[in-house]
């Protein structure tokens, strides 16, 4: 049996290119498994379902090695699980050297293992670079004064008056929060912030 596996990092990414590549190998839709989530680990429902279905002698097509994952160690573990434990052939479409049907002799296996190590290292390295670039971009934006998250909601007009009544013990915390139309925890947090001296 021939199977295909597709992964896109988020629900809004398009999987058409990967689907076309698999259909070009005549893999039927019923045997194409797709996850829409990050490649950081293998806790993916469709991938797990695929692995349960695979039997010795089956062939699994992957559009590229980074569709399998982006964690160097885990890619190698999954490759070993698929090819050695389950006895499945794997063909990575954009890397002909990663086709376990070819070069089954010692040299072919050595070359495939070497290419897999290099590519899985590159996949993880790219993931780490993406994370570093994101962190640098956020830091640069913060340095420019860009604010992240929702803008703070302004205090209700009666907040200071209610706050004073609460601090003077004329009303309870619950009554104060209700008077300002907010949860007790929110009222208390805003009250504490209001009372902090400005440095």
């Amino acid at each position: 049996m021939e199977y295909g596996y597709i992964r896109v990092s988020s629900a809004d990414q398009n999987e058409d290119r990967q689907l076309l590549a698999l259909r070009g190998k005549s893999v039927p839709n019923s045997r194409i498994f797709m996850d829409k989530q990050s490649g950081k680990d293998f806790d993916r429902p469709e991938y797990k379902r695929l692995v349960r279905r695979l039997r010795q002698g089956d062939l699994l097509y992957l559009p590229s090695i980074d569709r399998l994952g982006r964690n160097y160690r885990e890619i190698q573990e999954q490759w070993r699980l698929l090819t050695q434990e389950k006895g499945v052939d794997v063909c990575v479409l954009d890397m002909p050297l990663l086709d376990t049907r070819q070069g089954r002799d010692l040299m072919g296996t050595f070359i495939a293992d070497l290419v897999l190590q290099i590519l899985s290292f590159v996949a993880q390295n790219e993931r780490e670079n993406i994370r570093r670039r994101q962190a640098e971009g956020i830091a640069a934006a913060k340095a420019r004064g860009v604010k992240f998250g929702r803008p703070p909601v302004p205090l209700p007009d009666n907040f200071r008056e209610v706050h004073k009544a609460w601090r003077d013990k004329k009303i309870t915390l619950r009554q104060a929060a209700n008077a300002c139309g907010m949860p007790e925890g929110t009222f208390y947090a805003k009250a504490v912030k209001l009372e902090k001296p400005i440095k």
Side-chain angles (χ1 to χ4, degrees):
M1 293 272 209
E2 295 183 350
Y3 292 87
Y5 178 70
I6 292 172
R7 182 185 62 76
V8 288
S9 298
S10 60
D12 61 344
Q13 283 189 331
N14 196 312
E15 66 277 1
D16 289 350
R17 181 183 55 82
Q18 294 178 64
L19 275 171
L20 282 172
L22 293 178
R23 287 178 184 146
K25 293 294 179 182
S26 302
V27 180
N29 286 341
S30 61
R31 293 202 295 270
I32 294 176
F33 293 76
M34 178 173 59
D35 282 305
K36 292 195 173 192
Q37 65 188 86
S38 165
K40 66 180 180 178
D41 60 42
F42 283 87
D43 189 22
R44 302 178 222 140
E46 287 301 299
Y47 180 76
K48 288 179 175 179
R49 204 163 70 86
L50 165 66
V51 171
R52 285 194 300 270
R53 287 248 324 248
L54 289 168
R55 299 289 176 262
Q56 185 168 356
D58 286 345
L59 171 61
L60 173 61
Y61 284 108
L62 299 169
S64 62
I65 195 67
D66 66 350
R67 298 304 86 199
L68 189 58
R70 290 192 180 275
N71 180 302
Y72 176 69
R73 184 180 52 79
E74 288 192 352
I75 290 173
Q76 295 204 322
E77 281 178 16
Q78 290 302 312
W79 188 270
R80 186 188 55 75
L81 167 79
L82 294 167
T83 60
Q84 294 175 22
E85 288 184 29
K86 295 199 75 84
V88 172
D89 276 315
V90 180
C91 174
V92 180
L93 295 178
D94 70 351
M95 182 55 59
L97 286 172
L98 285 179
D99 185 344
T100 59
R101 297 170 299 173
Q102 299 169 11
R104 289 179 183 271
D105 60 356
L106 186 60
M107 182 58 75
T109 303
F110 171 75
I111 290 170
D113 285 350
L114 190 61
V115 170
L116 174 66
Q117 286 190 33
I118 292 168
L119 290 177
S120 54
F121 169 79
V122 168
Q124 178 166 335
N125 196 49
E126 178 59 17
R127 183 168 165 258
E128 288 170 2
N129 283 339
I130 289 168
R131 191 181 297 137
R132 181 181 48 76
R133 287 193 298 264
Q134 284 174 334
E136 287 171 357
I138 290 167
K142 284 182 177 176
R144 290 193 312 270
V146 174
K147 302 286 185 199
F148 290 90
R150 288 183 292 184
V153 177
L155 293 174
D157 295 338
N158 66 343
F159 187 84
R160 290 178 189 279
E161 178 188 333
V162 172
H163 170 260
K164 185 173 183 335
W166 171 63
R167 279 301 185 202
D168 291 345
K169 301 199 184 308
K170 293 179 181 172
I171 57 173
T172 66
L173 176 62
R174 177 174 289 171
Q175 289 170 328
N178 286 342
C180 290
M182 57 180 64
E184 290 174 41
T186 304
F187 177 87
Y188 185 82
K190 290 189 179 294
V192 169
K193 189 173 180 181
L194 181 71
E195 293 162 10
K196 269 187 187 172
I198 298 170
K199 294 181 181 178

